[in-house]
Amino acid sequence: MPDNILTLLFAVLVFPGGLFALAFGLILRGLDRRAVARMQRRVGPPLIQPFIDILKLMGKRTMVPEGSNTFVFLWAPVVAVAAMAVAAAMIPIAGFYRPSADLGDMLVLLYLVTVPAVVLMLAGSASGSPFGAIGFSREMAIMLAYEGPLLLAVVAVAMVAGHHLGQPIALSLADIVAVQRQQGAFILDPMLWPALLAYLSFIPANLGFSPFDIPEAESEVLEGPLLEYSGPALGLLKLASALKSVVVIGLGIALFCPIGPSGGAGLLVWALQCAVVTVCGVSLAKAALGRMRIDQAVLFYLKWPELLGIAGLVLAVANL
Amino acid sequence: MDTFQIPVGPLHVALEEPMYFRLDVDGERVAAVEITAGHVHRGIEHLTERRNFWQNIVLTERVCSLCSNSHPQTYCMTVEAIAGIEVPVRAQYLRVIADEVKRVASHMFNVAILAHIVGFESLFMHVMEAREIMQDVKETIFGNRMDIAANTIGGVKYELDDARVAWLVDQLDRLEPVIVGEIAPLYRTDRSILSRTRGVGVIGRQDCIEYGLVGPVARGSGLDNDIRRLAPYAVYADLDFDVVTETDGDVWSRAMVRLGEIRQSIGILRQCLAKLPKGPSSLPGWPAIPAGEAVAKTEAPRGEVVYYLKTDGSTMPQRLKWRVPSYMNWDALGVMMKDARISDIPLIVNSIDPCISCTER
């Protein structure tokens, strides 16, 4: 099926994965920096500053530290970008884009979402720097803590959607979106609010933003795994993290609030939703909170979001 | 898990100055700390023996930036003690004003850096923005934002007319509500700050005495050893202020002491500006400095500064020696860092407000 392969390639490389997600992710990053600056009564950089940063990094040399594992050190960022480009192609945009089932279902997506964190761990340990090693252990700890709430929230939504479809569980994001477009967005269902909160609290930790920017804390471990990176390799890691914000926020919108109208307006509404989540969810927390300690963050996740996730699942199942 | 070593410093984003900590780390816990100093030794003490008494005012001001008023002031006090110079009362008031302006700016800088290390950038920005009021005061009154060159032997080198006094009071009126109404309550109640600073880097009162700690570090553990109260110099004896102490001896207590002292300093400034007597602000001419020895001490923002001067009747010191507060305080880092987490190390270091360039000069 050459047609299908071409479509898939287009989805992964151009839209909505690849180039589009890259550009959109960088704009979201710029928006976030600008919003934080405004909250701190600063002017802030121009919206396209992240593009400029990436361009600058791409024009520099990548230094590979002595004593590092060169292969892992250089390929880890590539893997992160590739994984995120595929993941971005799997995110439906309500009314505008329906991912092909050939890309895989939500289980694949959940695995892909963890790839950047794993890459950071690999990169940290491959760099041979003690700060990278600390970043590794912190990334691992916080990942174990936030994966629980994520899975619980996703399963709660999938089970509710599956109930509407007459299946035990709906593992296709496209189906979950379709159900909500018929039955109303899940964000309006109070029974799913705990799951929504669990998902929202997962976002800053997964994206490595305050108050959970612990593995890459600049004033503590000198950006941990990123410490030894420079030039294009660092640029790729930054691209992967920009892509990840699109994936994680887009997944949240698909799970809870896919309300865009059909056609081009759907894309516009989706982009606006992403921007709102970025400013209200990420920038606000960044401006209002300090960093937690790793033990505090892990404890926090094991307490509140985990509880919310369990409550969300129980409520969702009890209500079927 | 085996312990492994990580270097903190000599260049590190959370340290303003070069200092090297070699940490033996067991997971996130610190097993042992080794502190190495000496990266910014510039031989200033030796240099003072090759400069005359007036050149040394300029030189001692450049020992350190944040306490750059305490050094020349204490130095001038030793020279005045040897020469038997009576400093005019107005000059003494002006000295206190210069000193307290510097203290406010220095303490605000330190608590701002605390917020930066915690990753609370908005609070950092807010405190630094408020600190600009004090920086503008320095620039307007003294003509410079850091080295204010206020002191000279026998008096001060700046004047305050009525317009400037009124303007200064205005600036204090702008700053005080921000400190009292916004910044201090934030540090006292914000969860981000409390969860990272309470119970971190604790040092008890007894340890403070044994290590001879000075300044806000000692006062954070309940030891009220403020030189302005214990051995009043200039006109501190006539001024009404409280020595701020806290009891817990953790990073948070030391920050709260500094915030409290900012408020006391604003009060001292207000009293000085109201009481400022008429008269000369310096002595005419250059007095001869006879042979002799003298010691003077003042309360710098970081604690007690002691200057010792020996002269032989020439125009240059035979020996000038000083002891700065950070020298006393940084040994206690070993106590404070015992069983600390890696993430707490920069916080603990910052909490003693170390002045490396003072200590190593």
Side-chain angles (χ1 to χ4, degrees):
Chain A
M1 285 183 290
D3 272 3
N4 192 15
I5 287 177
L6 280 182
T7 323
L8 288 186
L9 271 181
F10 182 79
V12 170
L13 294 179
V14 184
F15 181 89
L19 291 179
F20 170 77
L22 271 183
F24 188 56
L26 288 177
I27 287 181
L28 284 183
R29 201 41 70 85
L31 182 73
D32 165 52
R33 286 181 66 176
R34 188 103 175 153
V36 172
R38 285 300 155 91
M39 290 172 199
Q40 295 175 344
R41 284 199 268 173
R42 287 186 288 124
V43 180
L47 266 185
I48 58 159
Q49 187 63 44
F51 290 92
I52 303 173
D53 291 346
I54 296 287
L55 274 182
K56 187 196 78 175
L57 287 172
M58 288 304 167
K60 299 208 164 207
R61 270 187 308 165
T62 296
M63 311 285 285
V64 181
E66 254 176 59
S68 69
N69 182 330
T70 312
F71 180 78
V72 177
F73 186 80
L74 291 180
W75 279 98
V78 179
V79 171
V81 172
M84 283 297 100
V86 175
M90 297 169 68
I91 303 290
I93 300 174
F96 191 77
Y97 170 74
R98 187 190 160 91
S100 158
D102 292 344
L103 279 168
D105 58 14
M106 209 152 57
L107 287 182
V108 179
L109 181 62
L110 287 178
Y111 275 111
L112 285 176
V113 166
T114 59
V115 167
V118 175
V119 160
L120 268 188
M121 290 185 220
L122 276 178
S125 55
S127 71
S129 145
F131 291 105
I134 299 170
F136 174 104
S137 74
R138 289 178 168 196
E139 186 77 52
M140 180 123 79
I142 198 153
M143 191 177 140
L144 291 175
Y146 68 59
E147 285 287 297
L150 168 69
L151 287 176
L152 289 167
V154 168
V155 168
V157 170
M159 290 187 74
V160 173
H163 175 71
H164 288 298
L165 289 168
Q167 308 164 351
I169 188 163
L171 282 178
S172 152
L173 262 180
D175 287 348
I176 293 177
V177 169
V179 165
Q180 295 186 67
R181 292 177 75 74
Q182 276 179 7
Q183 314 276 341
F186 288 156
I187 197 172
L188 300 174
D189 180 359
M191 291 302 141
L192 278 170
W193 284 353
L196 173 65
L197 286 176
Y199 191 86
L200 281 178
S201 62
F202 146 82
I203 291 180
N206 183 265
L207 297 184
F209 285 148
S210 175
F212 306 110
D213 49 345
I214 309 163
E216 294 156 44
E218 192 210 9
S219 55
E220 293 168 14
V221 292
L222 307 166
E223 303 195 331
L226 300 184
L227 172 61
E228 297 292 346
Y229 274 95
S230 57
L234 179 60
L236 283 179
L237 283 174
K238 290 202 185 282
L239 282 181
S241 110
L243 279 170
K244 190 162 72 168
S245 14
V246 176
V247 171
V248 167
I249 294 173
L251 176 62
I253 290 170
L255 287 179
F256 292 101
C257 194
I259 52 163
S262 299
L267 180 63
L268 207 67
V269 169
W270 180 78
L272 271 177
Q273 286 177 314
C274 286
V276 169
V277 174
T278 304
V279 172
C280 300
V282 176
S283 313
L284 201 62
K286 235 189 219 179
L289 298 168
R291 191 185 309 113
M292 283 190 184
R293 226 162 39 207
I294 184 69
D295 53 316
Q296 294 168 338
V298 170
L299 210 63
F300 170 82
Y301 269 102
L302 293 184
K303 255 196 233 158
W304 303 114
E306 194 91 30
L307 255 180
L308 279 171
I310 293 171
L313 190 59
V314 169
L315 276 178
V317 172
N319 231 33
L320 290 181
Chain B
M1 197 177 189
D2 289 338
T3 62
F4 60 100
Q5 286 188 343
I6 62 166
V8 174
L11 298 175
H12 189 282
V13 276
L15 303 173
E16 270 73 49
E17 291 180 272
M19 194 171 182
Y20 178 51
F21 302 91
R22 210 182 61 204
L23 306 178
D24 287 330
V25 179
D26 182 2
E28 281 267 332
R29 291 269 172 187
V30 174
V33 196
E34 198 185 303
I35 306 175
T36 312
H39 300 89
V40 281
H41 175 70
R42 289 152 293 163
I44 293 188
E45 269 189 19
H46 180 64
L47 204 57
T48 57
E49 293 160 21
R50 295 161 177 253
R51 298 283 182 279
N52 69 35
F53 292 108
W54 282 268
Q55 289 172 321
N56 277 333
I57 302 170
V58 180
L59 187 58
T60 49
E61 181 136 21
R62 275 138 189 88
V63 167
C64 156
S65 61
L66 280 165
C67 25
S68 67
N69 190 62
S70 305
H71 285 280
Q73 181 180 349
T74 322
Y75 163 71
C76 289
M77 284 162 64
T78 57
V79 180
E80 286 151 8
I82 289 174
I85 296 168
E86 193 74 20
V87 179
V89 184
R90 182 179 173 84
Q92 297 203 349
Y93 272 94
L94 290 174
R95 273 187 183 176
V96 171
I97 290 170
D99 213 27
E100 297 301 324
V101 167
K102 285 290 290 186
R103 190 186 317 277
V104 172
S106 173
H107 281 349
M108 288 184 80
F109 186 74
N110 181 265
V111 291
I113 295 294
L114 180 140
H116 168 63
I117 294 173
V118 169
F120 199 167
E121 300 299 336
S122 299
L123 184 55
F124 167 73
M125 295 284 171
H126 189 54
V127 179
M128 288 304 266
E129 196 184 358
R131 180 173 178 265
E132 277 305 298
I133 298 175
M134 266 353 227
Q135 295 296 89
D136 286 346
V137 163
K138 284 191 258 173
E139 195 170 0
T140 309
I141 304 289
F142 306 99
N144 207 337
R145 286 163 62 90
M146 280 321 269
D147 290 346
I148 60 177
N151 292 280
T152 186
I153 295 166
V156 291
K157 288 194 269 191
Y158 75 104
E159 252 314 337
L160 284 180
D161 52 21
D162 290 345
R164 286 187 171 195
V165 168
W167 181 81
L168 250 174
V169 173
D170 277 352
Q171 301 309 306
L172 295 178
D173 289 343
R174 272 175 70 203
L175 181 65
E176 193 164 16
V178 181
I179 298 284
V180 177
E182 297 169 20
I183 294 174
L186 254 173
Y187 279 88
R188 188 171 295 119
T189 57
D190 188 86
R191 275 188 60 117
S192 288
I193 298 286
L194 291 180
S195 65
R196 291 295 307 275
T197 56
R198 298 291 332 239
V200 169
V202 178
I203 187 160
R205 194 169 186 276
Q206 195 53 42
D207 276 338
C208 279
I209 296 170
E210 275 166 24
Y211 279 84
L213 301 194
V214 292
V217 182
R219 294 198 280 279
S221 301
L223 199 65
D224 62 341
N225 64 347
D226 193 321
I227 300 301
R228 295 175 294 177
R229 174 61 47 82
L230 295 181
Y233 53 96
V235 286
Y236 281 110
D238 304 334
L239 298 170
D240 176 31
F241 65 97
D242 294 331
V243 176
V244 183
T245 55
E246 293 279 339
T247 47
D248 294 350
D250 53 8
V251 170
W252 180 80
S253 302
R254 301 195 265 280
M256 292 320 290
V257 166
R258 293 195 177 95
L259 285 165
E261 284 184 10
I262 293 172
R263 211 176 155 184
Q264 294 300 324
S265 292
I266 293 175
I268 293 174
L269 282 168
R270 283 188 195 285
Q271 294 172 46
C272 288
L273 291 170
K275 284 183 182 173
L276 192 61
K278 297 266 178 270
S281 59
S282 61
L283 296 179
W286 292 6
I289 315 293
E293 276 184 295
V295 169
K297 53 184 176 177
T298 62
E299 181 76 16
R302 287 158 186 73
E304 178 188 33
V305 166
V306 184
Y307 263 67
Y308 165 80
L309 174 66
K310 185 164 190 241
T311 56
D312 54 6
S314 72
T315 56
M316 293 187 217
Q318 196 177 17
R319 180 80 173 97
L320 182 57
K321 159 93 191 152
W322 56 95
R323 195 197 74 187
V324 299
S326 298
Y327 178 72
M328 303 307 294
N329 288 344
W330 79 9
D331 242 7
L333 283 176
V335 178
M336 296 176 191
M337 285 185 184
K338 205 164 284 167
D339 287 331
R341 295 176 181 83
I342 297 174
S343 22
D344 298 333
I345 299 293
L347 273 173
I348 295 172
V349 174
N350 180 64
S351 77
I352 71 160
D353 205 357
C355 187
I356 317 291
S357 54
C358 281
T359 315
E360 299 180 350
R361 56 226 181 223

